[in-house]
């Protein structure tokens, strides 16, 4: 199953509404990077509100997506991180301290605009 990636101006919006398995996570990574390249996106908001738990592989893919997007010139904001997901990321040593976060998608868009204006 593919995760929909929506375009809004120069931004890409993703709301992950399904349980992530390894295949879906890798497909999402490829789809997002291709979409950044194709659309020339300068920012990405990834909403994780519906993601209750992640394993080590999914956590690594998420960290890689943030790094790879940045390398391609697109700033990433993560929104809706659940407590269990935050604990898993830290336990696995995936520190996203330079990645802006917000409570929800709307606040994530505001944060992204602020990040890109600086």
């Amino acid at each position: 199953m593919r995760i929909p990636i929506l375009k809004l101006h120069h931004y890409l919006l993703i709301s992950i509404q399904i349980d992530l398995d390894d295949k879906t996570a890798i497909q999402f990574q490829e789809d997002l990077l291709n979409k950044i390249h194709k659309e020339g996106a300068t920012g990405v908001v990834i909403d994780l509100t519906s993601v209750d738990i992640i394993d080590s592989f999914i956590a690594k893919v998420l960290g890689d997506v943030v790094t790879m997007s940045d390398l391609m010139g697109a700033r990433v904001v993560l929104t809706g991180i659940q407590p269990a997901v935050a604990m898993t990321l830290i336990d696995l040593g995936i520190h996203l301290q330079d990645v802006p976060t917000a409570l929800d998608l709307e606040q994530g868009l505001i944060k992204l605009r602020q990040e890109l204006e600086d």
Side-chain angles (χ1 to χ4, degrees):
M1 175 170 266
R2 283 198 144 108
I3 297 169
I5 301 172
L6 307 175
K7 182 176 186 272
L8 177 67
H9 306 293
H10 294 289
Y11 305 145
L12 299 177
L13 308 176
I14 301 104
S15 181
I16 299 175
Q17 300 289 321
I18 60 172
D19 290 332
L20 289 172
D21 57 38
D22 293 359
K23 182 179 176 185
T24 304
I26 291 296
Q27 186 66 57
F28 167 65
Q29 182 180 51
E30 291 175 12
D31 289 348
L32 178 58
L33 296 176
N34 287 331
K35 192 86 163 182
I36 290 169
H37 179 73
K38 179 182 172 192
E39 301 294 343
T42 57
V44 177
V45 178
I46 302 174
D47 182 47
L48 302 169
T49 302
S50 296
V51 179
D52 295 323
I53 193 161
I54 58 173
D55 64 20
S56 59
F57 183 76
I58 304 298
K60 181 188 178 317
V61 169
L62 182 60
D64 289 349
V65 161
V66 170
T67 302
M68 291 175 190
S69 297
D70 190 49
L71 286 171
M72 294 182 69
R75 187 78 167 132
V76 175
V77 174
L78 297 176
T79 66
I81 297 175
Q82 300 298 319
V85 172
M87 288 188 287
T88 300
L89 289 170
I90 297 304
D91 286 347
L92 295 172
I94 299 172
H95 300 281
L96 302 171
Q97 61 264 32
D98 294 331
V99 179
T101 59
L103 291 177
D104 58 34
L105 197 53
E106 183 179 2
Q107 291 180 9
L109 272 172
I110 293 167
K111 177 85 81 164
L112 183 58
R113 284 188 191 121
Q114 291 170 346
E115 289 288 320
L116 293 174
E117 287 174 2
D118 289 344

